[in-house]
Amino acid sequence: MIRANLAFFLDDVVFSRNFRRLTGALAAFGALVMPCSCVVCGAWDTSLCQACSALFRAATARPFQAEAGAESLPDVERTAGDLLRGTTADAGYPTRPRESPYGPLPVIAAGRYGRAVSVVLLAYKNHGHVDLAPPVAAALVGALHHAVPAFRTGRTGTAPVLVVPVPTRASSRRRRGYDPLMLLLSRLRRSGHLPAGTELVSAVRHRPLPARLASAVGCGGGASGARTALAAAFSAVGGGQKGHGRRRRRMNVLHSMEPSRRARPALAGRDCLIVDDVLTTGATIAEVHRVLVASGARVLGAVVIAATAAPAGSGAAATGTRAHDTGRPPLRTSSELPEISERQGMNKGQG
């Protein structure tokens, strides 16, 4: 009774005219002291205006299969559900099974990494706009809710699926002051918005440089192998993967990760779902996949917030596939998602 009365009282306070005036005045004062602008269009007094927020939601509202253009993803054995998964005839496409029982690790992306999505993600990751976490988290949780039932089709067992985020380098965490991906997933876990039957686990970490160098030298062999190992071991010092080709990206992450000590005993025999922010070639996801499989886990697939566009004729539009068949409208491919112009700076006055 007391709790119900308190809830009614708080509703009266929050939705009252005086409270709205007070919050508006505080927002105006905050904009005066710490001015900001929309990261997409540059409108003042908000990091993401209503119009651009609506465009971002529209661009990430229909998850799609994104593994077709990622050449570094590992080849895995498809389940019966994967082999028969196609676009239904009522959606305008013929249903046909996949010809090969092997294929790239399935990946579901919330949207395409282009224009509006890329600007919002870069502002959130690299420019300290943690206030953009709510819309980015909403895009991620939508892809997760599509992926979990799709990847579990035809599998038995009641144990929760382990949601394993791609780890962030310690140097990147120190530079930003936070872990962007873990911040999103922790927010979803606290709010209870993670899919039912899943458990968030930081099961993979980056290896220390000496251990990575020793492992890579042992696997490489010879002078050329030693040079490759040195370049791979110290690539973390040079920054991220942006601007590198497929071979260089793969070399940069080769033997760079290992299972965390706490999670190692719990990985054997468990179903895992890898989560990353952006899918380009799939080299980082492939490295996490290698670590999990070596620890005895089964990797069902991966989920990303955004994926780079697949080459013409090789995406989901060419094959007529979608994430899964649940009676919902067919998932759109990356080429069908809306776009808006991208600004060079994150805020007004930034170069």
Side-chain angles (χ1 to χ4, degrees), residues 173-313:
R173 189 183 299 108
R174 288 193 297 268
R175 184 181 72 251
R176 296 166 176 156
Y178 59 98
D179 183 339
L181 190 57
M182 198 62 189
L183 182 64
L184 296 176
L185 291 172
S186 299
R187 178 189 183 95
L188 295 176
R189 179 177 58 184
R190 289 194 304 269
S191 62
H193 289 156
L194 285 177
T198 61
E199 179 183 351
L200 177 61
V201 177
S202 297
V204 181
R205 66 178 184 178
H206 279 277
R207 306 182 72 180
L209 286 179
R212 181 182 176 188
L213 177 60
S215 176
V217 169
C219 295
S224 61
R227 287 193 298 268
T228 302
L230 284 171
F234 290 100
S235 62
V237 180
Q241 298 277 62
K242 186 176 181 180
H244 296 316
R246 177 174 62 90
R247 186 174 181 181
R248 179 62 184 274
R249 286 171 179 264
R250 182 62 176 164
M251 184 188 71
N252 282 353
V253 298
L254 186 63
H255 298 288
S256 65
M257 302 178 191
E258 63 183 3
S260 61
R261 293 180 180 177
R262 289 184 177 181
R264 190 193 304 266
L267 288 176
R270 298 294 297 273
D271 291 335
C272 296
L273 182 65
I274 302 172
V275 179
D276 201 0
D277 51 3
V278 178
L279 172 69
T280 306
T281 64
T284 306
I285 291 178
E287 176 65 12
V288 177
H289 177 273
R290 180 193 66 81
V291 173
L292 293 176
V293 171
S295 301
R298 295 184 298 269
V299 180
L300 305 181
V303 171
V304 296
I305 303 171
T308 56

Side-chain angles (χ1 to χ4, degrees), residues 5-31:
N5 292 334
L6 179 61
F8 284 121
F9 172 75
L10 292 178
D11 285 343
D12 292 338
V13 171
V14 171
F15 293 107
S16 66
R17 180 179 301 178
N18 291 333
F19 184 83
R20 290 199 301 269
R21 288 178 177 176
L22 176 62
T23 54
L26 292 176
F29 178 75

Side-chain angles (χ1 to χ4, degrees), residues 47-96:
S47 293
L48 190 65
C49 68
Q50 290 185 358
C52 295
S53 177
L55 288 172
F56 178 81
R57 290 197 304 270
T60 56
R62 299 293 297 276
F64 64 98
Q65 288 186 243
E67 68 267 18
E71 300 175 347
S72 295
L73 286 173
D75 284 336
V76 297
E77 184 176 3
R78 299 281 189 171
T79 64
D82 293 325
L83 293 173
L84 296 175
R85 188 178 302 136
T87 308
T88 54
D90 60 354
Y93 298 97
T95 301
R96 58 186 180 90

